[in-house]
Amino acid sequence: MTRVAIVGAGPSGLAQLHAFEQARAAGADVPELVCFEKQSDWGGLWNYTWRSGLDQYGNPCHGSMYRYLWSNGPKECLEFADYPFEQHFGTPIPSFPPREVLFDYIKGRAENSDVRRHIQFDTAVRWIEHDAARDTFDVTVEALAEGASRVEQFDYVIVATGHFSVPNLPDFPGFDRFPGRILHSHDFRDAQEFAGKDLLVVGGSYSAEDIALQAKKYGANTVTISYRSAAMGFPWPDGISEVPLLARLEGRTAHFTDGSSRDVDAIILCTGYQHHFPFVASELRLRTANVLYPPDLYKGVFWIDNPKMMYLSMQDQFYTFTLFDAEAWVARDFVLGRVTLPSREEMAKDVAEWRAREDALPDPFAQIDFQADHIADLMVGTDYPEFDLDLTRAHFKKWEHDKEESIIGYRDRGFSSPCTGTQAPIHHTAWWEAHDDSLTTFLARESGKE
Ligand code: FAD
Ligand code: NA7
């Protein structure tokens, strides 16, 4: 029997399992699916952990999410077309839910399609290589609790291990003598740790933006954001400011390239992540920066030198769950023989064209359209349910404008569903004032029980 290995049971691995289950429900003959997940539960980054550094088995901790994390984009732009939010929660909910609420939503669809039975938890994939003679993949896995390794053969491998877990960690002169804590955003957990402190955040993207806001919201005295290329330029609340790149530290004094300086108590490096696949043999290993169209992946999914090796969710992400679904549906249809791929040369040419187009994108609005076009391209010929993709483009562009208008207020807006058309209600506690991010409070307040 044909065997498919899926590595990782985060949102993209679960999308893959779900896609196969949908085909099975519609009568398809589905191969044997085995999903290996090194954590003890599913949900990937959305499965919050207090741990940082190493996990309970001594392996690098996967989790990069932190307490009080609320969706940083409208939920309508990541809604599962075959499982709308309203279906899961039984009522319309606001557009920017906290982590626990989205985790619940992800779990809901996975439970409904009963995919858990395919997942081997506490099992890390250690090595993937292709055997050309047999045209199968040897996958070495380790059952972490037992410390027992074994090798299994698969006809297809789908890597869904995410790429926001292994920090990119630059060094700066004087770090070795700084008398405070220096951490990467991967290890950031509870913003209350920085209450009353003067914090330096290095980076100019989503993590820098959100962690700076979190820290201030939960009581930091000041937050200085140091950027390399360009200031984010949002209308920051009092106590948050942006300065050019850090040049060096002298004791607790940070000096910046514009000649200014500040005394700081702690430093958070929001300097992004590495695509890191040490468990993949060199000739199958994706090597890329955080871009919208990585090299060597046809349709962003198929490894062009051997398309039976697939990767999900390796793009920089405006779209998340919607993109993962589109990728998972295409990967599934390839495995099921419903899709045939062009020659290696044609695939390489197609990838090159997309990448050239990405290089020429002038601004985030064009980037949003680019990623939406990628999704539209993926969905041609699949049976993924229809939804209003163009509406999500418009939502993302409005969201960009909302952030420019109010960086503490953009989450207090409501968007309409591309699946049901329902307009999201406004959460009655403004995000900047909402300190309780539990699912119970978020939903109970919504239905007027508090
Ligand atoms: P992950 O969620 O990273 O899951 C990968 C899974 O693979 C994990 O469970 C991991 O344990 C497993 N794994 C890894 N290596 C192995 C191995 N060798 N063997 C076995 N299992 C393995 N997206 C949004 O839509 N909205 C947000 O608000 C948002 N906020 C974010 C905030 C932060 C701080 C970060 C880091 C990301 C955020 N994202 C957000 C983006 C996020 O990447 C996606 O939402 C989503 O989690 C990606 O899913 P994934 O399954 O591809 O990867
Ligand atoms: P991103 O979006 O990949 O951004 C990384 C940022 O780190 C970016 O602003 C980089 O600057 C900056 N960076 C990288 N190296 C350095 C050095 N050496 N010095 C200074 N600054 C540096 O990662 P994020 O963590 O922000 O976001 C990842 C995901 O997490 C995202 O999906 C969110 O939803 C949450 P640049 O702008 O390139 O000059």
Side-chain angles (χ1 to χ4, degrees):
M1 184 174 190
T2 304
R3 303 189 80 216
V4 182
I6 297 163
V7 190
S12 49
L14 292 175
Q16 190 62 72
L17 290 167
H18 174 73
F20 276 112
E21 286 310 315
Q22 291 301 99
R24 193 196 309 277
D29 191 10
V30 171
E32 182 186 349
L33 308 172
V34 185
C35 177
F36 300 109
E37 169 52 61
K38 70 177 187 178
Q39 299 190 74
S40 306
D41 200 2
W42 56 14
L45 293 170
W46 296 92
N47 169 27
Y48 175 76
T49 176
W50 61 268
R51 293 176 194 275
S52 60
L54 301 180
D55 68 14
Q56 69 271 40
Y57 299 113
N59 293 308
C61 175
H62 187 80
S64 296
M65 285 205 180
Y66 36 89
R67 292 190 69 192
Y68 324 122
L69 183 146
W70 296 57
S71 177
N72 61 2
K75 75 178 199 309
E76 288 74 16
C77 294
L78 54 73
E79 191 161 16
F80 299 134
D82 62 356
Y83 191 66
F85 278 96
E86 224 172 317
Q87 181 180 334
H88 179 74
F89 290 104
T91 183
I93 67 165
S95 286
F96 292 86
R99 182 203 56 79
E100 194 184 352
V101 175
L102 284 176
F103 183 41
D104 196 69
Y105 176 60
I106 297 162
K107 285 192 294 186
R109 188 176 74 163
E111 279 160 5
N112 272 1
S113 57
D114 192 22
V115 301
R116 204 173 172 96
R117 68 189 197 281
H118 301 298
I119 307 172
Q120 297 182 18
F121 290 101
D122 298 298
T123 305
V125 169
R126 294 299 190 204
W127 192 245
I128 301 169
E129 63 186 9
H130 185 247
D131 183 319
R134 281 190 272 110
D135 190 21
T136 55
F137 296 91
D138 285 335
V139 177
T140 306
V141 302
E142 182 183 351
L144 295 166
E146 296 82 31
S149 294
R150 63 181 192 278
V151 183
E152 292 190 26
Q153 271 86 50
F154 290 92
D155 301 282
Y156 298 87
V157 172
I158 301 171
V159 175
T161 52
H163 60 91
F164 293 129
S165 258
V166 177
N168 170 47
L169 271 174
D171 185 21
F172 289 89
F175 265 19
D176 52 343
R177 288 166 169 268
F178 180 66
R181 197 148 112 81
I182 303 176
L183 66 155
H184 187 271
S185 48
H186 170 65
D187 296 317
F188 174 78
R189 290 293 178 270
D190 192 326
Q192 294 182 77
E193 175 183 352
F194 303 100
K197 301 249 162 69
D198 294 308
L199 182 64
L200 173 62
V201 166
V202 180
S205 187
Y206 296 105
S207 296
E209 168 202 318
D210 201 51
I211 288 176
L213 289 171
Q214 290 282 348
K216 191 74 192 104
K217 181 173 164 181
Y218 286 88
N221 186 38
T222 64
V223 183
T224 304
I225 305 172
S226 164
Y227 58 86
R228 178 171 66 177
S229 307
M232 289 179 274
F234 295 117
W236 301 108
D238 283 351
I240 301 184
S241 55
E242 287 188 272
V243 297
L245 190 59
L246 180 64
R248 67 184 190 284
L249 281 144
E250 283 170 15
R252 60 183 287 255
T253 308
H255 295 269
F256 304 98
T257 52
D258 63 351
S260 65
S261 64
R262 309 261 167 102
D263 284 0
V264 295
D265 300 309
I267 300 170
I268 306 183
L269 295 170
C270 296
T271 44
Y273 293 89
Q274 304 178 41
H275 284 65
H276 190 67
F277 310 105
F279 54 89
V280 177
S282 179
E283 64 276 13
L284 299 171
R285 187 182 300 170
L286 176 65
R287 292 177 179 83
T288 181
N290 189 21
V291 294
L292 294 172
Y293 219 94
D296 304 317
L297 291 181
Y298 178 61
K299 295 205 179 277
V301 174
F302 302 98
W303 183 247
I304 58 172
D305 283 335
N306 183 347
K308 291 183 177 179
M309 176 80 175
M310 290 161 261
Y311 288 86
L312 300 182
S313 127
M314 290 306 156
Q315 296 74 13
D316 194 7
Q317 295 155 7
F318 284 94
Y319 287 91
T320 53
F321 306 167
T322 311
L323 173 65
F324 310 160
D325 272 11
E327 294 183 336
W329 251 253
V330 170
R332 176 201 73 183
D333 285 353
F334 174 63
V335 172
L336 294 182
R338 297 174 178 179
V339 166
T340 48
L341 301 180
S343 68
R344 189 200 177 284
E345 290 63 37
E346 283 169 277
M347 291 195 281
K349 185 166 167 279
D350 187 73
V351 173
E353 283 167 8
W354 279 95
R355 285 176 57 75
R357 193 181 146 200
E358 178 180 1
D359 285 345
L361 296 174
D363 56 34
F365 300 102
Q367 291 170 345
I368 289 162
D369 277 328
F370 178 87
Q371 194 153 61
D373 290 350
H374 178 198
I375 292 173
D377 180 53
L378 281 163
M379 288 191 314
V380 174
T382 72
D383 65 357
Y384 193 67
E386 288 222 354
F387 68 101
D388 193 345
L389 181 63
D390 286 341
L391 183 69
T392 64
R393 295 176 195 254
H395 283 350
F396 264 134
K397 291 173 190 173
K398 164 126 188 353
W399 164 78
E400 288 281 0
H401 286 302
D402 288 348
K403 288 176 72 174
E404 283 162 18
E405 205 177 291
S406 173
I407 195 65
I408 63 166
Y410 78 88
R411 286 183 168 103
D412 304 328
R413 309 289 169 94
F415 291 81
S416 58
S417 165
C419 310
T420 62
T422 304
Q423 175 67 31
I426 306 295
H427 192 248
H428 63 76
T429 306
W431 174 77
W432 190 243
E433 310 296 331
H435 286 74
D436 179 351
D437 66 340
S438 67
L439 176 143
T440 328
T441 300
F442 185 77
L443 295 180
R445 281 186 174 172
E446 202 39 51
S447 53
K449 287 184 194 141
E450 282 198 357

